[in-house]
Structures are given as structure tokens and as C-alpha cells.
Amino acid sequence: MPRGDQLTRQWMLLQLIDRASGVTVAGAAETLGCAVRTIWRDLRVLQEAGFPIYDQKDGDGRRGLWKVTERFRTSLPVKLTLAELAALLMSRDLLAPLGASALGAPIDSAFDRLTRVLSRDALALIDRMRDVVGARALGAKLQAPAAEHMPRIHRALAERRTLWVRYYSFHRDEVTEREIDPYHLAWVDGGLYLVAWCHVRRAVRIFAVERIRDSAVRSRGFTAPRDFDARKYLDEGWGILRGELVTVKVRFARAVARYIRERLWHPSQRFRDLPDGRLEMTIQVGDTVEVRRWLLGHGVQAEIVEPRSLREALWREAAAMADALRPDRRPLASSGRRSATSASRTVAHSP
């Protein structure tokens, strides 16, 4: 049996045992669709790893229900079930990007307290389960030296104070000094971004934290506009980039229609089923390189209907890609042309 199937089954068995009513060996075998001897083998693995489980014998001394020990339930620093604790530990990587922020130390402290109630072997088994059934975040922690700016950023946010920064502009390839009033800190696709009023540009801009070269909190305070909604501001983009707000209508082939429908891609999305099994999706979003890459990623399964400008831009990009991938073309050869997506990129990152 593949190792992944075994770990998945043990995780499901742990959840059955964690129920208030417990579970019998026969009941677990029936629920998980395996032999009784397989359940016994999994129970030995869990017990030997140190999980706080036991078999509650019935009146005639025979083995009965498997449950979580009451001592374990009362020892937790917060009221959690064993399955909830294991799931929380398996999801720890989702909070990894916050390690560089002011939240990093308290989060680490909380997890350290939670791990103390389980044995080392039990934690090791949870790690192996996480590799199969757990969740991992895309991207990585913010690295030094950018991480050193987080305490000052959080102070400026909390105290509503202007922040001085030396900021590297990716597009201009230069470092400039400016003062900004930070409104909101957001984590998007593994990166930390600061939404702030830029005193140089006299407008709201988005600053990538990893491009801040130096920072200092000014004594001068500021008041954020009452009508500014950071969530609404960010929702106008596909990811973190911003561009001209347009209504995009795209039709997806029947082969991917179910996959597209089952997810929330953007807050503004609306779906319409077509008679031939295709799915029409309408969104109102900034026309940026991010949404274009997402559309191109579906290849011929996605047909752009509106706006015409976006349809033509993606046609040029697809034509350039086809030319670059010609069988008679040497790999890495210079094409001497600029991609349509790069040429039309419009963002709200501060230049």
C-alpha cells in the first residue's frame, strides 16, 4: 500500500477516535473501507507514537470503544479536540509568511505551547501526515534584510504615523526616497504589500515590502480617509497589481467548466451556463499582467469575448508564443521583439 494512503487513513482514524462517542474497531474498518486487522495495525502506530488514545472496555472486559483520554482534553491550553489540534499543526505552514511580521513571535509562541501536549513521535507522525493531507503556502517567508522593516511598518500602522522609506522601483531600476502614510498591510501570493498614500505621487500606491531598502517612523501623524476601504481597493485587481478597470467576459470549454465554477476566482465573478456545456464567466477587474497570465494559462480552453482590446492583446501574445515555440527555432534565440503582455503592463506599484 502506498505510504500516502496509509497516512491518510491514520489521519481519518484519528478523527473517528476523537468523536465524543469514540469508535469501535469494526466501525472504523467499515467507515474507512479496510480490514479490521488494518485498523488494529494503525491503532498500534498511533499508540506507539504517543497519541493520547485508549480502548474503553465494556462490561465483560472485552475491547470496546477507542477514545481520546480525558487527561489530554483537560491539559490543552485552549479547548480543542485532538483532531482540531492535529489539523492546526498541519496548517502551520500557511502562517509562515507572517514570520517576518510583528505577529511572528506570538504565533510561534502559540504553536510551541500547543506542541508541548503531544509526544515527539506523535508530532513526527503529524508531520508525515501533513505531507499527504496537509496544506502548504505558496511562496516563502519574507527574508532579511527586508524583514527588519516589519517592526517599523507595524508601528507606523498602529500609531498612524508617516513612514519614510528608501524604495527600489523595479520598473525604473532605481532607489528613491519618499514619505508614505501606511493604510493597510496585505499578504498576497506569498508576498507582503503595503497600501499607502505616497506624498511624492499624491495618490494611493502599493509598495512591495521586499523592495524597501531603509525605513524610519516619522513623528508626524496622519488620518486615513474615512471612505477608503482597503479590501475594496485590493479587490479591484486580480492579485496585487492594478490597472484600468474593465469588464471581462470569457467562455470556458466544457472540459474545464466544472473546475472554473467550483472556485472563487474574484469577488465580482458571475457565471452563466451555455447550452453546449460551456461556461461564461464575467468579472470586473483591472486589466493587468496578472489577469492576462491567468487567462493565457487556460490555453484554448478559454475564449475571451470582451473587451476587444484584451482579446486582441492576448491574440498578439499567443502569436508571439507560437512563433517562439516553432519547431525550427533554436531555443533561447533572441526574437528581437517585446512580448505583448510586457508592453501593455499597467500597474499601481509606485514607480
Side-chain angles (χ1 to χ4, degrees), residues 281-316:
M281 177 183 186
T282 302
I283 54 176
Q284 190 171 33
V285 67
D287 182 7
T288 68
V289 65
E290 292 171 316
V291 69
R292 295 185 181 199
R293 285 174 178 169
W294 182 75
L295 292 169
L296 284 170
H298 292 286
V300 296
Q301 305 288 348
E303 178 188 0
I304 313 303
V305 180
E306 296 176 4
R308 185 177 182 86
S309 59
L310 179 59
R311 180 184 176 98
E312 293 176 349
L314 294 187
W315 175 80
R316 291 193 297 270

Side-chain angles (χ1 to χ4, degrees), residues 4 7-8 90 93 124-136:
L7 292 169
T8 301
M90 281 191 275
D93 284 351
L125 183 56
I126 286 176
D127 280 340
R128 294 196 294 274
M129 290 178 178
R130 179 182 58 184
D131 290 336
V132 179
V133 299
R136 294 191 181 275

Side-chain angles (χ1 to χ4, degrees), residues 10-20 43 46-47 49-54 66-70 72-76 78-90 114-115 117-119 122-123 125-126 129:
Q10 290 169 358
W11 164 235
M12 296 174 68
L13 175 59
L14 196 62
Q15 294 178 76
L16 293 176
I17 297 172
D18 196 37
R19 295 186 306 189
L43 287 169
L46 295 176
Q47 280 193 309
F51 280 96
I53 60 176
Y54 74 104
W66 281 84
K67 292 186 172 183
V68 175
T69 65
E70 191 61 30
F72 168 79
R73 296 188 186 278
T74 58
S75 68
L76 286 171
V78 291
K79 191 173 182 179
L80 293 173
T81 67
L82 178 58
E84 289 169 346
L85 174 62
L88 187 60
L89 293 174
M90 281 191 275
L114 291 173
T115 57
V117 301
L118 293 176
S119 69
L123 294 173
L125 183 56
I126 286 176
M129 290 178 178

Side-chain angles (χ1 to χ4, degrees), residues 99-120:
S101 74
L103 302 177
I107 287 174
D108 287 341
S109 176
F111 274 106
D112 287 343
R113 292 179 63 191
L114 291 173
T115 57
R116 290 180 196 144
V117 301
L118 293 176
S119 69
R120 182 177 300 178

Side-chain angles (χ1 to χ4, degrees), residues 6-223:
Q6 179 183 346
L7 292 169
T8 301
R9 189 184 60 249
Q10 290 169 358
W11 164 235
M12 296 174 68
L13 175 59
L14 196 62
Q15 294 178 76
L16 293 176
I17 297 172
D18 196 37
R19 295 186 306 189
S21 59
V23 68
T24 64
V25 173
E30 181 180 358
T31 300
L32 300 180
C34 61
V36 168
R37 64 176 179 274
T38 300
I39 297 298
W40 279 116
R41 186 164 54 246
D42 287 340
L43 287 169
R44 283 196 297 272
V45 170
L46 295 176
Q47 280 193 309
E48 290 172 0
F51 280 96
I53 60 176
Y54 74 104
D55 58 325
Q56 183 181 34
K57 296 180 175 59
D58 53 21
D60 58 5
R62 297 178 180 178
R63 293 181 182 271
L65 293 173
W66 281 84
K67 292 186 172 183
V68 175
T69 65
E70 191 61 30
R71 181 180 179 182
F72 168 79
R73 296 188 186 278
T74 58
S75 68
L76 286 171
V78 291
K79 191 173 182 179
L80 293 173
T81 67
L82 178 58
E84 289 169 346
L85 174 62
L88 187 60
L89 293 174
M90 281 191 275
S91 303
R92 184 172 185 171
D93 284 351
L94 294 176
L95 299 177
L98 297 177
S101 74
L103 302 177
I107 287 174
D108 287 341
S109 176
F111 274 106
D112 287 343
R113 292 179 63 191
L114 291 173
T115 57
R116 290 180 196 144
V117 301
L118 293 176
S119 69
R120 182 177 300 178
D121 289 340
L123 294 173
L125 183 56
I126 286 176
D127 280 340
R128 294 196 294 274
M129 290 178 178
R130 179 182 58 184
D131 290 336
V132 179
V133 299
R136 294 191 181 275
L138 295 176
K141 281 187 179 180
L142 192 65
Q143 298 297 314
E148 70 184 30
H149 304 301
M150 291 307 301
R152 291 187 284 273
I153 290 174
H154 275 279
R155 181 187 167 196
L157 283 165
E159 299 179 5
R160 283 290 190 257
R161 295 188 181 276
T162 297
L163 190 69
W164 169 85
V165 296
R166 291 181 65 248
Y167 186 75
Y168 170 69
S169 171
F170 183 83
H171 302 292
R172 294 190 177 186
D173 193 24
E174 65 178 4
V175 176
T176 60
E177 294 185 16
R178 62 187 74 194
E179 289 186 327
I180 60 176
D181 297 338
Y183 293 164
H184 180 76
L185 184 66
W187 174 55
V188 180
D189 291 338
L192 282 169
Y193 298 88
L194 192 60
V195 181
W197 173 267
C198 177
H199 288 251
V200 173
R201 302 299 174 191
R202 305 301 300 171
V204 175
R205 289 289 186 265
I206 298 177
F207 297 86
V209 172
E210 66 265 21
R211 295 180 190 164
I212 295 177
R213 299 295 182 255
D214 198 4
S215 63
V217 180
R218 298 298 199 202
S219 60
R220 183 174 68 253
F222 69 88
T223 301

Side-chain angles (χ1 to χ4, degrees), residues 250-270:
V250 54
R251 290 174 181 166
F252 291 95
R254 182 176 181 178
V256 297
R258 186 181 303 174
Y259 166 72
I260 295 297
R261 177 179 282 283
E262 68 184 10
R263 294 195 177 191
L264 176 63
W265 301 97
H266 192 267
S268 68
Q269 69 186 37
R270 299 193 312 274

Side-chain angles (χ1 to χ4, degrees), residues 322-336:
D323 182 63
L325 296 174
R326 290 198 325 267
D328 61 340
R329 185 186 180 94
R330 294 180 58 188
L332 302 180
S334 176
S335 64

